[in-house]
Amino acid sequence: MSNYHFNEIEAKWQKYWEENQTFKAENFSEKPKYYVLDMFPYPSGAGLHVGHPLGYIASDIYARYKRHQGYNVLHPQGYDSFGLPAEQYAIQTGQHPAKTTTENIKRYREQLDKIGFSFDWSREVRTSDPEYYKWTQWIFIQLFESWYCKLHEQSFPISDLIGVFGKEGNIGLNAKCGNELPDFSAAMWNSFSEEKKQKILLNYRLTYLAETEVNWCPKLGTVLANDEIVNGVSERGGFPVIKKKMTQWSMRISVFGERLLKGLETLDWSESLKETQRNWIGKSVGASVEFRLLDEKKEFKSIAIKTFTTRPDTIFGVTFLTLAPEHELVDRITTIDQRIEVGEYVTVSAKKTERERMADVKNITGVFTGAYAKHPITKEPIPIWIGDYVLAGYGTGAVMAVPCGDQRDYDFAKHFGIPIKNIFEGIDISEKAHSEKEGTIIVNSDFINGLSYKEATDKVIEKLEKKHRGAKEINYRLRDAVFSRQRYWGEPFPVYYKDGLPQMIAAKHLPIRLPEIEKYLPTETGEPPLGRADVWAWDTNNNKIVSNEHIDNIIIFPLELNTMPGWAGSSWYMFRYMDALNKEEFVSKEAMDYWENVDLYIGGSEHATGHLLYSRFWVKFLKDRGFLSIDEPFKKLINQGMILGESAFVHRVEGENKLVTSRQIEGLNTQSIHVDISFVNTSNELDIEAFKNWRPEYKDAEFITEEDGTFKVSREVEKMSKSKYNVVNPDDICTQYGADTLRMYEMFLGPLEQAKPWSTAGITGVHSFLKKMWRLFHSGVDESLFVTDKPASKDNLKTLHKTIKKVIEDIENFSFNTSVSTFMIAVNELSTQKCNSKEILAPLLVLLSPYAPHISEELWSKLGNKESISTASFPKFKENFLLEEVKKYPISFNGKMRFTLELPLDLSKDEIESVVMSHEKTIHYLEGRTPKKVIIVPGKIVNIVA
RNA sequence: GCUGAAGUGGUGGAAUUGGUAGACACGCUGGACUUAAAAUCCAGUGGACAGUAAUGUCCGUACGGGUUCAAGUCCCGUCUUCAGUACCA
């Protein structure tokens, strides 16, 4: 008996691969290297659904393909097991995150194993493993011990900077790098107390402690980075976020803006993803312009309001200034008469949540400060306003408002009756502002009259620089990333506090292990859960964690209570796989130099402004400091599209216990209720009994059915999720159809990068292909293996090489969906040709093995091979089976056009004619200026001139 | 609003540098096998018109134009959908 028993075959080969360590990668090899990486999963509690493995299947196909091509392939997998998702699941189930994480990982591993991936599990990493996060802590220390020189665009050890301060102070640095810190000389530096020195250094370190306005999410009990907020609510859970001042660790990613931007040019990523990162970095080129406060009593002579503009050419159109409500000068410049009004306005806007402020965009609000500034060129008095359309976090938090050239300034001016000055020739601004830069001549503007945007911009900047009232400036939207989380389930900081100042724990004492505490829940007020640990202080004599009780002793100090965010561990994991067991270094130089960077990275596009940006930042930093030899971690990136679920709904008549079949709901006032898709068949018919048992409240409900007694549900495509009852579990598919069918079907669904709904209905097509493939190797009579050494026919070879060509092209282009079709066509053709030649079938198996590894291994071994099919080399495409030697024949087309036709030598006229009539052949179009290729349409050739 | 991607049968989707549009699969229809069903296999399947038939003709890739011997593909304009981003000065 020799039917295709996929369950047995798959279990057999998965065991074989594990026992033989078939996919273990060596760190050094004569072969060229290739590194294929998946974005490692968060082990959440729900387990995998069919959407999760999509990217893993694609990367696995590619990894297996590269092995066949003779590469030494690194294809590892691990778990991003620290962070909010893992912790939220623990909180929901009331279990300790350490416990749920271990359980979830076990479940994930079982599910992954069933699909037959070629992962090298000997290199598994878990970000929550102390042996792993030891190095995350180590990298944090390196960041703390480094600063960024804007002049050299590079990070250096902080000790270099201390050396410079001791010799020259920071005056030179401020001038060269445009730092805004108060100047000090070498003598002053040397006279500073240690405490003051440390405080100054925090302004330079790449990770620093500062009181900043952060995004606080009370429901999650933690602060969030900008990329963790979507539409003003938290990405995880969708809870409100408010602004709050807190002392937090931050990462100085902003100084890397330019390099992160430039690096994108070298990467093979999708244009849309690069664009997302470019927008996030948000570079804008413009100028800073300084407006000095107009003050007759000369009290505030030195107060200057710095603004940023991308339109220096419109400087003569300025009719007011607007400050953000949070601007630091608001208090100082507001006149006595305006104090109450301004105070109220500032308080009200501070109370708004991120979301309210976004929702309020159309409401124009603002208040006059009573103060005036002097225009830097015309010296005219300019009124200073406050408005919340100006953001404290961007530029300088103050704008020079040009109502004629900016719609927001225009709306503000109209709303408050501020004059609008037109500086554009022949442009009507009675209805709206004119914001296009190009194609306008500037007027009413003194020395730039008659100039275009570009010329005027240069002239104005030149003038401002001469008057010391401004300079050319580049601004980035990219903000420093908050790095503290008031959560339990994350990496502890290797930091203790002495006299209120942070101190690093020496690297040799790492890891600082996360203490085991009973109450790990976050608090709404923001006290970190680690504050509840009884043993969480640092003994500097013995270099170990000790009980809190001893604090105040001179050698025992409080430890940092916050933990690191989820993206800490995922920012460098791709290097740990290279050398996962190394106890001495996070990755050895040899391993690093061999594997270099990830050649192919596959994962979701939702990480565009988080993980993919942060890890690029860390890698650039580690490269600067000599710990890595490469500058960009991910050479090629593919974003797999999400697989969506097809939810099913029953319709209940509003206010009645009556359910109506989907075709009869028209005209009725009904409410849709999600129903578990396992109660619905492919014809959308509901199993009414199962539904009644599932939802007892409808036990006695009235069912309005079709005439034939069936009850139909309606369908809708949504994100696959437990709460929508539309989850399809890959385990079930594996049991019913096998992993090879699942793998091929997931690829067959559509283009890899496109979002698409899952529908189990079509899976039979792929499954019956595998059955046909199996049958191709077996005789129809007694079902034993029926493969011969007979030479292949010409037709057989043609089919094979056509398939080789297409499959290689498809894999190289990541069009895995079309190669599934190619296999189907090949098997159909070979069945028709009754091909049983080993010369054809063996290479076909190798070709198929990346897609359907289990069946390929089984048939491969049946053919008498002792080694795993993964060691076989990929068949090579030979063109001569498809094309023949050619000779040029001029022909004419439709009796008018003359072409040259390339055809085999020594053909008779009849043969040429039959070729032309039946095949696609390339000919050159001669009558046009440039020769073009055309395909002959059979039957339309009138004359062939030999 | 801005940026990016896309719009092809009943459905998912194929179509090298412009060259027989709808591969492959699902679904549907018919047939074979079967007591029957399932499974399996075979055939048909964009639309309209003509023909007993083989077949032929015309129309068809969101819409309107254009370039070309030839356009799903290139150019201009319009509409729609999806995704990202959003008071960024």
Side-chain angles (χ1 to χ4, degrees):
Chain A
M1 78 135 199
S2 200
N3 284 322
Y4 173 39
H5 294 295
F6 45 86
N7 285 327
E8 286 165 33
I9 293 170
E10 287 171 4
K12 173 180 162 188
W13 288 103
Q14 283 162 14
K15 195 162 158 248
Y16 173 91
W17 295 330
E18 204 190 327
E19 283 171 359
N20 291 278
Q21 303 254 354
T22 309
F23 305 113
K24 195 173 186 316
E26 294 304 326
N27 265 8
F28 308 99
S29 163
E30 291 296 303
K31 299 175 184 174
K33 70 96 193 182
Y34 202 89
Y35 186 1
V36 183
L37 184 65
D38 293 295
M39 290 187 187
F40 60 169
Y42 305 108
S44 81
L48 296 172
H49 61 62
V50 287
H52 294 112
L54 181 76
Y56 305 155
I57 293 169
S59 67
D60 196 59
I61 289 170
Y62 204 78
R64 286 174 181 270
Y65 164 71
K66 279 286 173 184
R67 284 194 199 95
H68 287 304
Q69 296 279 41
Y71 286 83
N72 183 29
V73 173
L74 176 57
H75 187 214
Q77 187 58 289
Y79 306 96
D80 190 10
S81 45
F82 258 150
L84 286 179
E87 185 170 351
Q88 282 302 99
Y89 177 74
I91 291 167
Q92 279 156 20
T93 57
Q95 290 170 297
H96 197 277
K99 187 165 173 270
T100 55
T101 300
T102 314
E103 284 168 4
N104 293 343
I105 286 177
K106 191 165 167 276
R107 171 100 197 279
Y108 266 58
R109 179 65 192 273
E110 282 167 8
Q111 288 190 292
L112 289 171
D113 281 347
K114 276 193 185 163
I115 304 171
F117 293 115
S118 64
F119 293 131
D120 177 358
W121 284 106
S122 71
R123 295 167 184 260
E124 179 190 317
V125 303
R126 298 178 187 193
T127 53
S128 60
D129 179 351
E131 284 307 306
Y132 180 88
Y133 66 68
K134 170 182 172 177
W135 296 109
T136 312
Q137 293 171 337
W138 178 84
I139 294 170
F140 177 83
I141 296 172
Q142 305 313 312
L143 283 154
F144 185 78
E145 299 295 352
S146 303
W147 68 290
Y148 194 83
C149 175
K150 287 185 183 167
L151 196 66
H152 294 93
E153 292 266 345
Q154 199 187 328
S155 341
F156 293 101
I158 199 89
S159 53
D160 290 4
L161 190 67
I162 297 169
V164 170
F165 287 170
K167 279 186 214 140
E168 322 167 357
N170 75 339
I171 297 163
L173 263 176
N174 277 356
K176 278 184 226 156
C177 305
N179 286 332
E180 306 262 322
L181 298 164
D183 292 347
F184 53 80
S185 65
M188 286 162 79
W189 170 260
N190 291 325
S191 71
F192 289 155
S193 67
E194 186 56 27
E195 192 187 338
K196 181 148 192 196
K197 283 181 182 170
Q198 286 306 325
K199 279 192 176 154
I200 289 169
L201 287 173
L202 277 178
N203 292 308
Y204 291 89
R205 295 180 189 276
L206 284 180
T207 182
Y208 59 97
L209 197 59
E211 191 183 48
T212 45
E213 198 144 275
V214 294
N215 307 303
W216 170 251
C217 179
K219 271 278 187 262
L220 287 173
T222 191
V223 302
L224 298 169
N226 287 345
D227 69 282
E228 292 168 312
I229 300 160
V230 177
N231 294 328
V233 296
S234 68
E235 188 193 10
R236 296 276 158 194
F239 304 119
V241 175
I242 57 167
K243 292 274 177 202
K244 190 174 175 178
K245 281 220 162 179
M246 288 176 90
T247 301
Q248 300 283 323
W249 285 99
S250 287
M251 286 282 161
R252 210 180 292 280
I253 187 175
S254 58
V255 295
F256 283 82
E258 189 61 32
R259 280 170 71 190
L260 289 168
L261 202 58
K262 274 194 194 138
L264 285 175
E265 290 165 22
T266 65
L267 299 176
D268 185 3
W269 293 13
S270 74
E271 200 43 49
S272 67
L273 196 93
K274 285 194 201 177
E275 198 58 29
T276 306
Q277 287 212 346
R278 278 188 207 115
N279 291 340
W280 192 261
I281 296 167
K283 179 180 181 174
S284 39
V285 180
S288 63
V289 184
E290 207 176 278
F291 288 76
R292 302 239 162 144
L293 197 71
L294 190 70
D295 172 40
E296 272 134 34
K297 291 178 216 145
K298 311 276 180 203
E299 272 177 62
F300 300 115
K301 202 174 172 190
S302 60
I303 293 187
I305 295 159
K306 201 181 150 191
T307 61
F308 173 75
T309 181
T310 52
R311 298 291 305 274
D313 60 308
T314 62
I315 193 153
F316 290 97
V318 173
T319 56
F320 60 102
L321 298 184
T322 318
L323 307 187
E326 300 89 346
H327 197 280
E328 53 176 7
L329 290 176
V330 166
D331 262 359
R332 287 176 65 194
I333 63 169
T334 302
T335 59
I336 295 158
D337 304 347
Q338 295 298 105
R339 269 191 190 271
I340 296 170
E341 213 185 321
V342 169
E344 269 175 22
Y345 183 74
V346 171
T347 317
V348 169
S349 34
K351 273 191 192 150
K352 283 188 193 170
T353 64
E354 190 81 358
R355 184 148 224 193
E356 282 166 346
R357 197 159 159 168
M358 281 168 68
D360 241 14
V361 169
K362 287 187 193 94
N363 269 343
I364 296 162
T365 63
V367 61
F368 180 45
T369 61
Y372 290 83
K374 208 162 71 179
H375 191 285
I377 295 170
T378 65
K379 309 261 192 296
E380 282 166 32
I382 305 289
I384 305 171
W385 286 72
I386 298 169
D388 69 0
Y389 79 96
V390 177
L391 304 175
Y394 183 76
T396 59
V399 300
M400 51 170 245
V402 184
C404 67
D406 182 284
Q407 194 56 44
R408 289 155 304 168
D409 296 342
Y410 185 91
D411 294 340
F412 195 86
K414 280 264 162 164
H415 191 260
F416 290 107
I418 306 168
I420 297 172
K421 183 180 168 192
N422 193 354
I423 55 158
F424 301 116
E425 188 179 63
I427 302 285
D428 174 25
I429 56 154
S430 60
E431 291 294 322
K432 62 176 176 77
H434 176 75
S435 51
E436 277 106 82
K437 291 186 223 172
E438 309 293 340
T440 319
I441 299 296
I442 290 160
V443 292
N444 294 333
S445 298
D446 194 357
F447 63 94
I448 52 168
N449 278 340
L451 298 182
S452 69
Y453 154 74
K454 188 85 195 79
E455 299 159 328
T457 299
D458 293 346
K459 281 225 159 173
V460 168
I461 291 176
E462 195 183 306
K463 183 88 165 184
L464 287 168
E465 283 179 346
K466 220 159 104 194
K467 298 180 95 141
H468 300 286
R469 288 292 181 279
K472 188 172 177 181
E473 199 168 294
I474 295 169
N475 230 297
Y476 297 92
R477 197 188 82 118
L478 185 67
R479 302 262 67 91
D480 284 349
V482 185
F483 198 67
S484 307
R485 295 292 180 277
Q486 294 67 41
R487 285 292 197 136
Y488 170 69
W489 194 238
E491 299 87 347
F493 284 78
V495 172
Y496 66 92
Y497 288 89
K498 187 176 168 184
D499 302 328
L501 284 168
Q503 310 290 329
M504 292 296 122
I505 291 168
K508 61 184 169 190
H509 305 306
L510 302 180
I512 301 302
R513 284 167 190 272
L514 187 64
E516 282 179 29
I517 56 173
E518 288 289 312
K519 290 183 177 165
Y520 53 85
L521 291 176
T523 60
E524 283 224 6
T525 48
E527 282 93 49
L530 286 188
R532 303 191 189 110
D534 295 330
V535 182
W536 193 243
W538 187 250
D539 177 341
T540 54
N541 252 11
N542 300 306
N543 287 312
K544 60 174 193 181
I545 299 169
V546 292
S547 164
N548 284 346
E549 287 166 31
H550 299 288
I551 289 186
D552 296 337
N553 186 325
I554 43 167
I555 58 157
I556 294 173
F557 301 98
L559 279 156
E560 169 69 57
L561 299 176
N562 287 300
T563 54
M564 299 186 195
W567 54 267
S570 60
S571 290
W572 69 279
Y573 77 113
M574 51 280 182
F575 298 105
R576 190 60 183 169
Y577 285 130
M578 296 175 180
D579 202 6
L581 304 173
N582 193 330
K583 297 227 172 213
E584 310 301 320
E585 296 164 283
F586 77 104
V587 57
S588 70
K589 188 160 185 337
E590 294 75 29
M592 172 67 227
D593 286 344
Y594 180 70
W595 292 110
E596 293 182 318
N597 42 19
V598 176
D599 294 287
L600 173 66
Y601 196 32
I602 297 190
S605 56
E606 67 272 20
H607 297 109
T609 52
H611 162 62
L612 287 171
L613 202 60
Y614 294 131
S615 52
R616 292 182 61 219
F617 154 48
W618 277 29
V619 168
K620 285 180 191 301
F621 160 72
L622 290 167
K623 163 90 189 321
D624 284 354
R625 295 297 318 278
F627 300 117
L628 291 178
S629 51
I630 51 113
D631 193 43
E632 285 287 347
F634 312 116
K635 253 200 234 166
K636 181 174 176 65
L637 179 93
I638 292 197
N639 294 124
Q640 90 275 20
M642 208 192 312
I643 291 192
L644 302 162
E646 250 191 302
S647 305
F649 296 90
V650 293
H651 303 274
R652 186 174 68 95
V653 178
E654 205 75 62
E656 287 177 68
N657 199 6
K658 189 174 179 184
L659 301 167
V660 187
T661 187
S662 68
R663 287 199 219 168
Q664 293 177 24
I665 55 169
E666 220 158 294
L668 291 171
N669 185 14
T670 58
Q671 182 197 359
S672 307
I673 304 156
H674 272 103
V675 43
D676 195 310
I677 50 162
S678 61
F679 304 144
V680 180
N681 69 11
T682 48
S683 313
N684 294 339
E685 286 165 12
L686 178 71
D687 180 340
I688 295 176
E689 284 313 306
F691 175 72
K692 280 181 175 175
N693 290 331
W694 183 59
R695 281 285 140 99
E697 64 263 40
Y698 299 114
K699 192 117 203 138
D700 305 314
E702 187 189 344
F703 284 80
I704 310 295
T705 61
E706 307 276 317
E707 279 165 17
D708 61 3
T710 59
F711 187 92
K712 302 234 175 187
V713 298
S714 60
R715 294 275 193 167
E716 212 172 287
V717 173
E718 294 181 292
K719 211 170 159 173
M720 209 175 263
S721 140
K722 240 182 170 174
S723 63
K724 298 188 170 92
Y725 303 103
N726 60 2
V727 172
V728 180
N729 190 324
D731 300 359
D732 298 340
I733 305 289
C734 285
T735 309
Q736 211 183 337
Y737 299 98
D740 286 340
T741 302
L742 174 74
R743 292 169 63 106
M744 293 196 84
Y745 185 58
E746 291 227 355
M747 293 300 104
F748 184 68
L749 272 178
L752 182 59
E753 300 187 61
Q754 192 177 298
K756 55 228 159 215
W758 173 272
S759 141
T760 308
I763 202 167
T764 52
V766 171
H767 189 58
S768 59
F769 154 74
L770 286 172
K771 285 196 273 189
K772 274 187 208 168
M773 181 77 193
W774 180 264
R775 239 180 293 131
L776 200 58
F777 284 75
H778 297 86
S779 97
V781 190
D782 57 2
E783 301 233 318
S784 62
L785 191 71
F786 185 62
V787 176
T788 68
D789 291 325
K790 269 197 313 206
S793 75
K794 214 174 170 187
D795 277 351
N796 296 162
L797 284 164
K798 205 170 169 183
T799 300
L800 176 67
H801 284 274
K802 206 167 66 180
T803 310
I804 295 172
K805 185 171 187 237
K806 189 73 168 64
V807 168
I808 290 178
E809 272 171 17
D810 285 344
I811 296 181
E812 298 282 358
N813 297 325
F814 298 91
S815 332
F816 301 122
N817 53 330
T818 50
S819 26
V820 178
S821 302
T822 308
F823 284 120
M824 291 179 177
I825 295 166
V827 166
N828 280 339
E829 283 182 14
L830 292 174
S831 301
T832 314
Q833 294 162 16
K834 302 219 185 320
C835 169
N836 59 1
S837 161
K838 202 172 166 181
E839 192 187 337
I840 301 294
L841 296 180
L844 189 70
L845 274 187
V846 181
L847 218 52
L848 182 69
S849 74
Y851 291 84
H854 308 86
I855 190 175
S856 309
E857 286 276 20
E858 178 70 14
L859 292 170
W860 184 252
S861 76
K862 279 189 158 199
L863 288 180
N865 296 290
K866 295 274 180 288
E867 294 273 296
S868 160
I869 196 169
S870 65
T871 60
S873 52
F874 220 55
K876 293 222 162 31
F877 167 62
K878 293 204 182 95
E879 194 159 14
N880 53 341
F881 289 111
L882 301 187
L883 286 180
E884 285 133 274
E885 259 189 290
V886 293
K887 186 183 176 183
K888 286 181 181 173
Y889 291 87
I891 60 157
S892 74
F893 187 76
N894 279 351
K896 278 182 186 172
M897 304 303 162
R898 292 177 61 84
F899 299 91
T900 307
L901 177 60
E902 294 181 4
L903 287 176
L905 296 161
D906 308 322
L907 288 183
S908 69
K909 189 158 183 212
D910 287 349
E911 282 171 321
I912 294 168
E913 199 161 331
S914 85
V915 168
V916 170
M917 293 306 203
S918 60
H919 288 278
E920 296 179 358
K921 285 289 163 186
T922 305
I923 61 177
H924 296 282
Y925 172 46
L926 294 178
E927 292 212 333
R929 273 132 300 195
T930 43
K932 292 178 183 176
K933 288 177 184 175
V934 298
I935 302 269
I936 291 173
V937 181
K940 288 200 175 169
I941 305 298
V942 180
N943 277 317
I944 298 170
V945 186

